[in-house]
Amino acid sequence: MNKSLVTNIIAAALVLIGYFAEVTMVFTIGLFALSGAVTNWLAVHMLFEKVPGLYGSGVIPSRFEEFKAGIKHLMMEQFFTQENIDRLLTENSASAIDLTPVIDKVDLEPSFDALVTTVENSSFGGMLSMFGGTEALIPLKEPFIDKMKQSLTELTQSEEFNQILINELEQPNVMADLQQKVSNIVDQRLDELTPVMVKDIIQEMIRKHLGWLVVWGGVFGGLIGALAAIIQS
């Protein structure tokens, strides 16, 4: 069920009912609810899509290169440190390498915080402050982290990744060369990403939760409309 669409339809229905039935209270509630829901829907839409004439829209695709750089930094600085590589060589044989335990233990909150900071420092930040600021994004943290771990696990379980890793583990001076090899693999995989793919990845992670911004925009807009109608009566 599309929560945003349902909220907008209900609000629009209240406007029509109030207008044609000449019920001021219902009309005002519907009008305020519709304005709140539509404004929040537009804000969510502008986060992912470039809207002509609206400066600051499409912030996720426009930060495409920063997103890729953040993924690489995360992989190399948290997963493939010398300590993790040493643990990998000690605990795993070359024929059975599973990085899932390492990924599960890594703290991905800094990556979410970096994404929030990127949005906050962008031209979209001013509009975001109208809808509760960065606090409105907090409910997205857990689904973002879960999806990121899933994506990283899939990356490290690819046949190409594991074959290169196994081949390198069988060579001398593994520690000195492995990090560079892994870095090259990550670069190659990230080069396959496009701005549209990055947008779709993030949108899939948080679409469900962003829909609630539209719902609550309609709810609070309706409450303000009811208050305004009571004051005017």
Side-chain angles (χ1 to χ4, degrees), residues 7-19 23-39 217-226 228-229 232:
T7 302
N8 285 319
I9 290 176
I10 292 175
L14 290 175
V15 172
L16 294 175
I17 292 172
Y19 178 79
V23 181
T24 304
M25 173 71 78
V26 175
F27 177 76
T28 305
I29 291 175
L31 189 62
F32 275 72
L34 184 62
S35 64
V38 169
T39 301
V219 171
F220 288 118
L223 292 175
I224 294 172
Q232 292 177 351

Side-chain angles (χ1 to χ4, degrees), residues 79-89 175 179:
F79 294 153
F80 293 102
T81 61
Q82 289 194 359
E83 293 78 7
N84 283 341
I85 292 176
D86 183 63
R87 188 184 308 118
L88 181 69
L89 297 176
M175 191 71 73
Q179 284 182 307

Side-chain angles (χ1 to χ4, degrees), residues 110-125:
S111 62
F112 176 82
D113 294 339
L115 176 62
V116 172
T117 300
T118 297
V119 174
E120 185 179 21
N121 292 336
S122 71
S123 53
F124 187 77

Side-chain angles (χ1 to χ4, degrees), residues 7-217:
T7 302
N8 285 319
I9 290 176
I10 292 175
L14 290 175
V15 172
L16 294 175
I17 292 172
Y19 178 79
F20 288 108
E22 297 183 352
V23 181
T24 304
M25 173 71 78
V26 175
F27 177 76
T28 305
I29 291 175
L31 189 62
F32 275 72
L34 184 62
S35 64
V38 169
T39 301
N40 280 14
W41 171 81
L42 181 61
V44 172
H45 182 75
M46 288 174 59
L47 186 63
F48 298 100
E49 304 292 345
K50 185 71 175 178
V51 180
L54 294 182
Y55 177 74
S57 59
V59 64
I60 296 299
S62 68
R63 299 285 178 158
F64 168 61
E65 293 299 331
E66 293 180 28
F67 182 80
K68 290 203 308 181
I71 293 178
K72 180 178 180 181
H73 179 78
L74 176 68
M75 292 287 291
M76 302 310 302
E77 297 299 325
Q78 295 202 47
F79 294 153
F80 293 102
T81 61
Q82 289 194 359
E83 293 78 7
N84 283 341
I85 292 176
D86 183 63
R87 188 184 308 118
L88 181 69
L89 297 176
T90 302
E91 298 178 356
N92 296 276
S93 66
S95 60
I97 298 174
D98 183 11
L99 296 176
T100 303
V102 177
I103 295 175
D104 287 339
K105 294 177 182 178
V106 171
D107 180 13
L108 294 178
E109 288 194 14
S111 62
F112 176 82
D113 294 339
L115 176 62
V116 172
T117 300
T118 297
V119 174
E120 185 179 21
N121 292 336
S122 71
S123 53
F124 187 77
M127 180 173 290
L128 181 64
S129 64
M130 297 172 58
F131 311 108
T134 56
E135 293 297 323
L137 301 179
I138 296 302
L140 310 179
K141 179 180 291 187
E142 290 303 323
F144 177 91
I145 290 176
D146 291 342
K147 188 65 178 181
M148 182 64 76
K149 286 187 176 182
Q150 178 184 341
S151 299
L152 292 174
T153 299
E154 292 174 356
L155 170 65
T156 58
Q157 289 179 346
S158 67
E159 182 178 350
E160 177 189 9
F161 185 96
N162 276 281
Q163 187 58 53
I164 294 177
L165 188 57
I166 290 173
N167 291 341
E168 288 302 313
L169 292 177
E170 295 173 346
Q171 301 299 319
N173 302 320
V174 171
M175 191 71 73
D177 192 48
L178 183 55
Q179 284 182 307
Q180 183 59 46
K181 291 292 185 181
V182 171
S183 178
N184 291 339
I185 296 171
V186 173
D187 282 335
Q188 291 172 7
R189 294 300 296 270
L190 290 177
D191 285 341
E192 297 173 5
L193 291 176
T194 65
V196 174
M197 292 171 64
V198 170
K199 183 199 73 174
D200 290 342
I201 290 171
I202 299 179
Q203 199 168 24
E204 181 183 352
M205 292 179 189
I206 62 180
R207 181 193 296 272
K208 174 182 177 182
H209 300 272
L210 286 178
W212 284 109
L213 289 178
V214 179
V215 174
W216 288 115

